[in-house]
Structure formats: C-alpha cells, structure tokens
C-alpha cells in the first residue's frame, strides 16, 4: 500500500495509527489531532510530516527520520514553554492549535532550517511538485522566495507577512489570484509570474515598489486603475494576456524603460502613454492597434519599436521626432504610406511591407531594410 485516502481521516479522534511503510503518502494526516507519536517512530512518517505541513516537496536529503522525530518532539517541548497553548502540547500535530499564530510562524523556522533548502536569504522550493503551500510560509525571515514550476493554484494569505521579501518567482504554476493584501510587501522589487492563470491584480498591487514585473502568459483582462502608481517600475512584461486597453494612469510610469505588450487584443493606447519619457524598448506586435496617439513622437528615448503584425493604418505626424529610434518593425500592417518627417529618423534596421518600398527608397535613408513576403 502506498497511500491512504483523505476520507480515512474524517475519523478525527483516532488515537493510534501504526505505519511501518517508509513510502506511505497520507494526504489527510494533518486533520488528526489525537495521534500518539510513538506509533509513528517506526516509519518514515516524519518525512511526510515535513513535506505536508511545511510545503517541502523537494526530495529531502537522506537522514535518520527517527532522529528527526526525536528532534521535533524535543523542539515542541521547548516551544510549549514559550507559547500560550489552547491545550497541552502532547503530539507532533497539535502545534497547529497554537493560540499565538504569529509567534508560531516566527519560531517554526528554527526547526525547519536543518531540513529544507532555506538560509537567511532564500527559500528555494522550485520544481518541488507542490500543490499546496502551508500558512507557515509566513514565518520565514527571507529576502527571496522561489516557487517556480509547481502546481500551486493560490498563495496562503500569510505570504504577505514576508516583510523583508525583495524577490519572488511564481513562474509556471496555476495561480489564479493573489492575496488581497499583496501590496503590503513594500520591499518587493522583482516579481515573476510567467504562465499562470491570473485574470486580475488586487488593487493593493499598486502599493508595491516594483522595479521588475514579469506577468507574461496569464489571463489578465485589465489592469488596476491606479497601475501608474508603480512609479519605480523599469521593466514590465505583460505580453500574451487578454488586455484590451491600458488605464489612463499608465502614463505615470516615468521610470519605465522596457515594455512588452505583444500578443494582446489591445485596440488603443491612452493619450497619457506618450508621457513615458524614459521608455527605450516597446513591443506592440500581434495586437489590434489601428492608430497610435497623436503625440507618440514625444517618446524621445525610444530606441526599439515593434509594430509588426497589427492592423495599423497610419502613423501620426509626430512619428518623425523619434530621433533615438534605431530598430523599427512595420511589416504585416495596413500602412499604405509613410508619415511626413519619416526621413528625419536615424534608423539602423527597418522591416516594411513591399507596397512601401518605392516610397522608402525615395527618402534616401541609409539603413538595413527587410521587406516582408506579404502579398500585395
């Protein structure tokens, strides 16, 4: 036998359970609060205990699990003298009934440190086949949290207790929402959430001090109205979502230097978009843009611009003021003419559709140009 079904543990008053298998998976074990630890010393139960209650799914190093059980029991007795308990601390699972939850979170790590990949700065649980993360995560004193490539669908609310966190990686999970108070992570500067199932961001998200935001491959349909309050944001990856528009506050992201919005059904950009004075790289290909804001030429720092594979019909007259622009992609669009002032650009690389070839050549620009194979 390799597993016991969760339904087995609807009998919450079990007093004895003898487990001799070293490979038994018991997903509902934490629901039993009356078990006597002695009946579990003869198995590798404590390996399961560490994984299930503390979210440790990465293979633990080979060790004496009976010694872990002894250490854990000894640690509990010491802890019981420090905390006010709802009932006496008698067995390994009863610590979940501590009245002082906050104190518990801050002391649990004392026991965990020798047995998991955690140090003073980083907790690494990447590729650990995690389906669930315990509330106890809030007790870690860490600056970096790596949960990449698991099967998590949500984060426990206690993640917002990680006040020292500066870096978080949730790439390649199935997370569909973030805690409402996620914005309380004031020291968080880098957040990675590629390929999840997020459909929205909580309003508090705008209270963060992010410098890097990577949310490619989610299901975002809109951004918070106050998204522009992320005033320290420098790089922003929002490609491959379901965004139709951007909030007017987006133009307040004055520190933004790189923005990826490609592969979104965006129809228009707000006029305030032209206030992004430090924007250097912009990816708008594979969107549904028909026009650009009339003051698009105010993006004076722009060096790289991708507008290919869009139904774009015209470029604004101000486009010629993009004097720093060196790379421009305009192929597979609906453009039938280049705007006045296009000859003032200092391009090094350009891609165009063949119907614009004769007009471009008449401008006498010296740059590398590639014409698409789009049929006229």
């Amino acid at each position: 036998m390799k597993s016991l079904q969760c339904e087995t543990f609807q009998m919450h008053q079990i007093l004895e359970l003898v487990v001799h298998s070293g490979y038994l998976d018991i997903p509902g074990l934490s629901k039993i609060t009356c078990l006597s630890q002695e009946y579990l010393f003869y198995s590798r139960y404590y390996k399961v205990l560490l994984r299930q209650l503390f979210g440790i799914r990465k293979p633990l190093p080979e060790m004496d699990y009976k010694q872990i059980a002894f250490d854990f029991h000894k640690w509990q007795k010491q802890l019981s003298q420090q905390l006010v308990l709802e009932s006496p601390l008698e067995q390994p699972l009863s610590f979940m009934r501590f009245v002082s939850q906050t104190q518990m979170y801050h002391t649990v790590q004392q026991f965990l440190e020798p047995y998991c990949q955690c140090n003073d700065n980083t907790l690494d649980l990447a590729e650990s086949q995690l389906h669930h993360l315990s509330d106890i995560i809030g007790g870690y004193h860490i600056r970096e949290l790596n949960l990449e490539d698991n099967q998590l669908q949500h984060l426990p609310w206690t993640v917002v207790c990680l006040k020292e966190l500066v870096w978080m990686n949730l790439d390649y999970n199935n997370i569909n929402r973030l805690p409402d108070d996620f914005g309380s992570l004031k020291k968080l500067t880098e957040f990675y959430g590629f390929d999840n199932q997020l459909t929205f961001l909580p309003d508090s998200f705008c209270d963060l001090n992010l410098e890097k935001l990577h949310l490619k491959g989610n299901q975002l349909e809109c951004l918070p109205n106050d998204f522009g309050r992320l005033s320290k944001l420098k790089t922003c990856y929002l490609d491959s979502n379901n965004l139709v528009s951007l909030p007017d506050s987006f133009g307040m992201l004055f520190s933004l230097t790189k923005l990826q919005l490609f592969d979104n059904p965006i129809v228009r950009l707000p006029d305030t978009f032209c206030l992004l004075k430090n924007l250097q790289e912009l990816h708008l290909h594979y969107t549904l843009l028909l026009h650009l804001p009339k003051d698009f030429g105010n993006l004076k720092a722009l060096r790289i611009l991708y507008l290919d594979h869009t139904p774009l019909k015209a470029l604004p007259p101000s486009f010629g003021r993009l004097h720093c622009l060196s790379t421009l992609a305009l192929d597979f669009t609906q453009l039938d003419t280049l705007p006045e002032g296009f000859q003032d650009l200092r391009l090094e690389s350009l891609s165009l559709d063949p119907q614009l070839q004769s007009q471009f050549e008449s401008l006498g620009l010296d740059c590398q140009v590639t014409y698409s194979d789009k049929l006229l």
Side-chain angles (χ1 to χ4, degrees), residues 44-69:
R44 294 191 177 184
Y45 159 71
Y46 278 88
K47 182 176 183 179
V48 178
L49 175 74
L50 289 172
R51 288 179 174 179
Q52 290 187 346
L53 296 189
F54 303 131
I56 302 173
R57 294 286 179 176
K58 183 166 289 190
L60 295 172
E62 288 301 320
M63 60 182 69
D64 184 345
Y65 290 100
K66 185 174 180 179
Q67 183 62 42
I68 295 179

Side-chain angles (χ1 to χ4, degrees), residues 308-309 328-335 350-357 369-376:
D308 55 289
H309 295 86
L328 175 61
L330 291 174
D331 50 319
F332 294 96
T333 65
Q334 299 299 317
L335 292 174
L350 172 66
S351 58
L352 283 175
D353 287 328
Q355 69 268 24
L356 295 173
Q357 181 174 356
V369 61
T370 303
Y371 296 100
S372 72
D373 57 0
K374 179 181 177 181
L375 298 177
L376 296 178

Side-chain angles (χ1 to χ4, degrees), residues 54-192:
F54 303 131
I56 302 173
R57 294 286 179 176
K58 183 166 289 190
L60 295 172
E62 288 301 320
M63 60 182 69
D64 184 345
Y65 290 100
K66 185 174 180 179
Q67 183 62 42
I68 295 179
F70 175 79
D71 291 344
F72 188 66
H73 186 53
K74 178 180 178 182
W75 175 78
Q76 283 188 298
K77 286 185 176 180
Q78 295 174 348
L79 188 59
S80 66
Q81 297 173 4
Q82 303 173 23
L83 302 180
V84 178
L85 302 182
E86 194 172 300
S87 60
L89 187 62
E90 298 173 349
Q91 65 285 322
L93 299 175
S94 63
F95 75 90
M96 295 300 289
R97 298 182 297 191
F98 287 168
V99 173
S100 180
Q101 293 290 317
T102 302
Q103 286 179 289
M104 180 189 72
Y105 295 145
H106 288 291
T107 52
V108 163
Q109 188 183 12
Q110 299 172 20
F111 175 76
L112 283 182
E113 283 181 344
Y115 306 119
C116 67
Q117 298 188 12
C118 177
N119 55 39
D120 290 341
N121 295 311
T122 304
L123 176 60
D124 186 358
L125 294 173
E127 301 179 16
S128 300
Q129 301 180 17
L130 279 174
H131 293 267
H132 172 73
L133 194 62
S134 170
D135 288 350
I136 294 174
I137 189 71
Y140 285 94
H141 300 282
I142 53 175
R143 291 171 55 82
E144 298 183 359
L145 175 60
N146 189 1
L147 296 170
E148 180 181 2
D149 200 5
N150 284 287
Q151 287 86 47
L152 296 171
Q153 294 187 7
H154 68 277
L155 297 176
W157 67 270
T158 53
V159 75
V160 302
C161 297
L162 300 174
K163 301 301 185 183
E164 300 300 315
L165 203 65
V166 298
W167 184 92
M168 180 185 292
N169 188 347
L170 303 178
D171 290 351
Y172 310 114
N173 278 279
N174 298 307
I175 294 173
N176 52 41
R177 66 175 297 161
L178 298 175
D180 290 341
D181 293 331
F182 194 79
S184 64
L185 299 174
K186 300 296 186 182
K187 293 187 178 181
L188 190 66
T189 59
E190 297 186 30
F191 179 56
Y192 300 86

Side-chain angles (χ1 to χ4, degrees), residues 216-229:
K216 172 184 177 180
N218 280 271
Q219 305 295 324
L220 292 173
E221 299 176 355
C222 62
L223 299 176
N225 288 334
D226 292 331
F227 193 81
R229 286 170 50 201

